[in-house]
Amino acid sequence: MASTSYCRLVASRSFDSLLKRSPKDFGSVVARRYEKSTAVFYEKNKKGLERDLKRRPLKQALKMTFQNLGPELKLFYQEQKQAYTGFPLLSVDHGNYEVIYTFNDPESVKSWAVTADRDNDGGKSTANFTFSKNRTGLFHGYLCKEVPKDGVTKYAGYANITSPKPMKSFGRESQMDWSLFNCLLLRLRGDGRPYMIVIGCNFHYDINWLNRWSYPVFTRGGPYWQHVKIPLSKFFTTHHGRIQDKQEFLPLKIINSLGITAADSAEGPFSLEIDSIALMNDVNLTDKHAYEMYENKYYEVQC
């Protein structure tokens, strides 16, 4: 009886303390819990940032909506017309390819997003993506390994460029279907550094937002162009840049971005010139996934 009354007393006190707390206190408790945890199954936003992303004010959003109503309706009409009158491509022959990104004009280069650890207060690296005199895209900058003294950041020295996400009318996110191809073709020339090709997908669940498929490209340096052919089955699953134990196939029907990252732990300037990026079909490549996937009783794996 004494133990029971003691438990009731503790429970009542804890309940009273909960009643006295404000919603902000609960938020801080949850935040501290997630800071100490090693595995988090929730992403606050699609960019993986801890802070809340700023939203456009309602008045400004309504103003932009009425200004763009005409062009968006025209775009919506074209989408519906193409959906009902267009003929879908059902197959491609061996050796057929489709160029998905070219950099022969300044606008195609400006549409790509450029980021570095300096932009997120995570270091001092810089990056630029400019239109070169050779009518190509030039990804260049400086990688700095100096870690900021914030007590949180452990590594520094990365830069990245990412393609624009495909969009539909009225600001809706779209996706690309690469299922008819099995190779990625790149025409580039670099400075001898390795670079990481990163492919993103359009997932609906927050635990998958930061899943990416990556594969390295080793540049030779020098004045000669490289023609790099990468089977799509070679791309391995990463999350927040970490290679996952549970590997998964690259979902080719929901691709929404392609990026190139420089982060080889070598401090100094870097330079990568890119002419074009294309998809190709090679009938000699029959693998769906190049890596072993081990069975585990705690989750199901793909066969």
Side-chain angles (χ1 to χ4, degrees):
M1 294 296 293
S3 61
T4 305
S5 60
Y6 175 76
C7 292
R8 289 177 180 176
L9 178 62
V10 173
S12 62
R13 287 180 178 177
S14 61
F15 183 71
D16 292 338
S17 62
L18 289 175
L19 291 178
K20 293 179 182 179
R21 290 188 179 183
S22 64
K24 294 182 179 180
D25 296 331
F26 286 106
S28 62
V29 170
V30 174
R32 288 196 299 270
R33 184 190 305 165
Y34 280 112
E35 285 177 0
K36 295 180 180 180
S37 63
T38 57
V40 178
F41 298 98
Y42 166 75
E43 295 295 345
K44 198 168 186 178
N45 50 63
K46 290 189 176 182
K47 292 188 176 182
L49 302 176
E50 293 294 334
R51 63 180 185 272
D52 290 323
L53 299 178
K54 292 183 179 179
R55 294 186 178 183
R56 186 177 287 110
L58 180 60
K59 185 177 180 180
Q60 184 181 358
L62 291 174
K63 184 178 179 180
M64 293 181 62
T65 300
F66 286 112
Q67 288 178 349
N68 300 326
L69 184 60
E72 293 295 336
L73 285 174
K74 291 182 180 179
L75 181 59
F76 180 76
Y77 171 75
Q78 293 295 333
E79 291 172 357
Q80 299 304 314
K81 182 179 179 180
Q82 184 177 4
Y84 286 101
T85 61
F87 294 95
L89 188 62
L90 301 178
S91 63
V92 293
D93 296 328
H94 172 67
N96 288 4
Y97 67 92
E98 178 181 349
V99 178
I100 53 177
Y101 298 111
T102 56
F103 306 99
N104 51 11
D105 61 86
E107 294 300 324
S108 61
V109 174
K110 291 180 181 179
S111 62
W112 283 55
V114 185
T115 56
D117 53 21
R118 185 177 184 179
D119 301 324
N120 300 319
D121 298 328
K124 297 183 179 179
S125 303
T126 59
N128 294 281
F129 192 40
T130 57
F131 184 65
S132 71
K133 62 181 180 180
N134 300 323
R135 302 186 65 82
T136 56
L138 182 61
F139 178 38
H140 61 99
Y142 188 91
L143 293 182
C144 180
K145 294 178 61 179
E146 182 179 348
V147 178
K149 299 178 181 180
D150 55 4
V152 178
T153 308
K154 298 180 180 180
Y155 308 99
Y158 77 88
N160 174 266
I161 54 173
T162 307
S163 64
K165 292 184 178 180
M167 303 293 291
K168 297 190 292 187
S169 58
F170 299 103
R172 296 173 296 164
E173 289 190 12
S174 183
Q175 55 201 22
M176 297 176 286
D177 186 354
W178 292 4
S179 58
L180 296 178
F181 304 93
N182 57 11
C183 291
L184 190 68
L185 297 179
L186 302 98
R187 186 173 188 265
L188 48 80
R189 55 183 175 182
D191 51 3
R193 287 178 179 264
Y195 294 85
M196 189 71 74
I197 308 300
V198 184
I199 298 176
C201 300
N202 186 21
F203 289 113
H204 298 288
Y205 300 101
D206 51 5
I207 60 174
N208 295 326
W209 281 345
L210 299 181
N211 283 2
R212 300 290 185 269
W213 277 260
S214 308
Y215 195 79
V217 169
F218 299 92
T219 59
R220 294 192 295 260
Y224 300 106
W225 288 94
Q226 284 182 249
H227 293 82
V228 181
K229 177 182 176 182
I230 308 174
L232 295 175
S233 61
K234 294 284 188 180
F235 283 83
F236 49 85
T237 313
T238 61
H239 185 89
H240 264 299
R242 297 177 180 271
I243 301 176
Q244 300 298 290
D245 293 332
K246 181 178 181 292
Q247 288 295 309
E248 299 179 2
F249 307 134
L250 174 60
L252 297 175
K253 292 189 177 182
I254 56 172
I255 306 296
N256 73 342
S257 67
L258 186 144
I260 300 177
T261 302
D264 60 348
S265 301
E267 184 167 346
F270 67 91
S271 178
L272 178 67
E273 192 173 359
I274 313 166
D275 179 64
S276 62
I277 303 175
L279 295 169
M280 176 183 160
N281 182 40
D282 187 347
V283 296
N284 298 315
L285 299 175
T286 57
D287 292 341
K288 188 176 181 180
H289 196 63
Y291 307 102
E292 295 183 49
M293 291 182 290
Y294 301 95
E295 294 184 1
N296 192 303
K297 63 179 180 180
Y298 297 109
Y299 50 70
E300 295 181 359
V301 297
Q302 297 173 350
C303 299

